[in-house]
Amino acid sequence: MTGMALTRTALRRIVASLIADETNRSRGRMGGNGGFARIEDPADWADDRALSVGGLPLDSLEIVNAGAALYEMFGLEALETDPRRGAPATVGHWLDDISTVLHRQDSNLTLMTSGSTGRAKPCVHAVADLQAEAAYFATVLPAVRRVVALVPAHHIYGMIWTALLPEALGVPVVVASVLALPRLEAGDLIVAVPDHWGALLRSIRRWPAGICGISAGARLADALAGDLRSAGLERLCDVYGASEAGGIALRDAPDAPYRLLPRWQFATPINGAEAVIIDASGREVLLPDRLSIALDHSFAVDGRRDGAVQVGGINVWPEQVAAVLRRYAGVADCTVRLSEQNRLKAFVVPAETDDEDTLLVRISEYVQRVLLPEQRPTAYVFGATLPRNALGKVCDWA
């Protein structure tokens, strides 16, 4: 028996996305699954193409890094290579090698967790499980004419929805961005993250009939989903998932609760504070969020257990950011939270009575040096003491 292989079309999409992301990060071009950076169109990645991104060939070190990323994701160390052939030189060579490995029994993919701090963790997924998840999603969607992809295909969310799902449905994929959408028509399925949906709400006043959307990668606010539906978006499905598990639950936003996908059930006894799910093989996954679980096992998400929030689809820890700000000489104390715009905001108690405008400039220069873009607060409020509620606990501020 051979393993369940990905089609060459799906592989091309994933490989193009992975190599482009790996190379753009080394070149200092920020993207990520929540960003608005251009996604490489797999149609441009012909078999005879030498590895290049944005029209620029990869140099020798970039080729090594891209190759390492491909080895890591597809387990290419299992490949029996011919030393006379040398390293793969073209897109087609890489696709051939990957297909050879994935045709074997029990083929797996390794995807890395995303986060702005700490070491990324490898998460191994059976190709068969990912394909089964895509096949299930294909059964619960209305008729789909094409998939409009606003997310890259090498993250698990993009892989399932923009590579495997189109194969299951037999429909084409259009690579797009918030600022460069194709002409939308009935039957289009837009795959995006909440930040994208927030931007789309501002740029599309009235949606054409028959357009549906998928949101994942971060928590989707009910208010945003409701406004999109009011503007004419026919259906908006919100996927709850995790890097370790893939898709976990699905809901029709904004009104319905989440319900587990058929693959999963809650381990007993059910504990919403530290919820554990289990699949048919007995594999258990501790969910990163606190849940409010109803008697019928539908649920709502109450927030991360570890205090993380998501900015542009990337996990960020506000308290760790606050600790960095406190190390700046001009800051006596501070607290950091996620704003309504899904960026971080900071309340700062100055160490001195310096001009606040000057202090803001200096803090901004400091965070530019020491924090990643998703970690940097974009709004600051200054005050003599941190905001606290009646119980004396630090609280939110206007």
Side-chain angles (χ1 to χ4, degrees):
M1 177 182 176
T2 57
M4 297 183 68
L6 300 173
T7 67
R8 199 170 183 89
T9 300
L11 269 183
R12 192 182 307 276
R13 181 170 299 281
I14 297 166
V15 167
S17 180
L18 179 62
I19 292 177
D21 183 70
E22 187 75 21
T23 305
N24 281 329
R25 284 192 293 110
S26 71
R27 294 176 180 176
R29 299 174 184 173
M30 301 307 298
N33 64 324
F36 297 164
R38 177 181 179 271
I39 303 172
E40 290 278 328
D41 191 337
D44 298 333
W45 289 63
D47 278 4
D48 60 355
R49 167 176 165 166
L51 297 187
S52 62
V53 171
L56 297 175
L58 272 60
D59 63 28
S60 58
L61 184 55
E62 289 173 336
I63 290 174
V64 169
N65 289 336
L70 292 169
Y71 265 72
E72 180 179 60
M73 175 176 284
F74 296 104
L76 297 184
E77 69 275 4
L79 187 67
E80 296 177 2
T81 57
D82 183 352
R84 294 171 298 179
R85 183 186 122 180
T90 65
V91 172
H93 288 162
W94 279 110
L95 294 179
D96 290 341
D97 286 352
I98 293 168
S99 295
T100 297
V101 171
L102 293 186
H103 270 94
R104 298 175 180 177
Q105 187 174 0
D106 301 327
S107 56
N108 298 315
L109 297 177
T110 299
L111 293 92
M112 307 303 291
T113 57
S114 65
S116 63
T117 58
R119 187 175 181 180
K121 181 177 69 174
C123 301
V124 179
H125 296 270
V127 172
D129 288 342
L130 299 179
Q131 290 176 315
E133 185 174 322
Y136 169 74
F137 287 136
T139 68
V140 300
L141 294 170
V144 175
R145 182 180 71 95
R146 64 178 177 178
V147 171
V148 179
L150 274 60
V151 298
H154 65 285
H155 295 292
I156 189 165
Y157 166 46
M159 184 178 295
I160 291 171
W161 286 95
T162 71
L164 303 184
L165 178 69
E167 293 293 315
L169 293 171
V171 299
V173 180
V174 176
V175 174
S177 71
V178 171
L179 300 180
L181 284 175
R183 181 181 178 86
L184 298 177
E185 299 178 2
D188 283 345
L189 177 70
I190 300 175
V191 182
V193 298
D195 284 348
H196 293 143
W197 287 114
L200 289 172
L201 177 64
R202 300 179 66 183
S203 59
I204 301 178
R205 296 184 179 180
R206 190 68 191 172
W207 289 81
I211 309 298
C212 295
I214 299 295
S215 182
R219 190 173 183 179
L220 178 68
D222 281 341
L224 172 58
D227 288 344
L228 286 162
R229 294 293 305 276
S230 296
L233 187 64
E234 183 171 296
R235 184 180 180 189
L236 182 55
C237 295
D238 184 17
V239 182
Y240 175 70
S243 298
E244 298 83 355
I248 294 170
L250 186 68
R251 69 171 185 142
D252 276 340
D255 300 324
Y258 290 105
R259 295 189 180 277
L260 291 175
L261 302 182
R263 175 186 172 191
W264 299 105
Q265 64 182 21
F266 285 115
T268 54
I270 296 176
N271 178 6
E274 294 186 347
V276 175
I277 55 174
I278 186 170
D279 66 10
S281 71
R283 182 169 75 98
E284 295 186 351
V285 176
L286 174 64
L287 299 185
D289 299 286
R290 300 183 303 274
L291 308 183
S292 294
I293 304 174
L295 292 177
D296 64 356
H297 294 181
S298 63
F299 64 91
V301 179
D302 294 334
R304 297 269 302 202
R305 291 185 293 105
D306 61 2
V309 298
Q310 290 187 316
V311 178
I314 299 175
N315 292 333
V316 178
W317 284 260
E319 182 50 40
Q320 293 180 4
V321 173
V324 172
L325 287 173
R326 293 188 195 105
R327 291 201 291 269
Y328 183 67
V331 175
D333 202 356
C334 73
T335 183
V336 175
R337 290 177 178 257
L338 187 68
S339 72
E340 293 181 357
Q341 289 72 40
N342 288 321
R343 297 298 301 268
L344 295 186
K345 63 179 183 178
F347 190 105
V348 174
V349 178
E352 304 288 344
T353 57
D354 291 343
D355 176 71
E356 291 181 356
D357 291 339
T358 301
L359 180 58
L360 176 59
V361 171
R362 292 174 177 172
I363 291 176
S364 299
E365 292 172 346
Y366 170 68
V367 300
Q368 286 284 336
R369 296 194 306 269
V370 300
L371 294 175
L372 297 171
E374 62 272 10
Q375 296 175 298
R376 299 168 191 161
T378 57
Y380 291 85
V381 171
F382 296 95
T385 60
L386 295 181
R388 298 183 182 275
N389 60 21
L391 299 176
K393 294 184 178 181
V394 176
C395 63
D396 202 355
W397 61 95

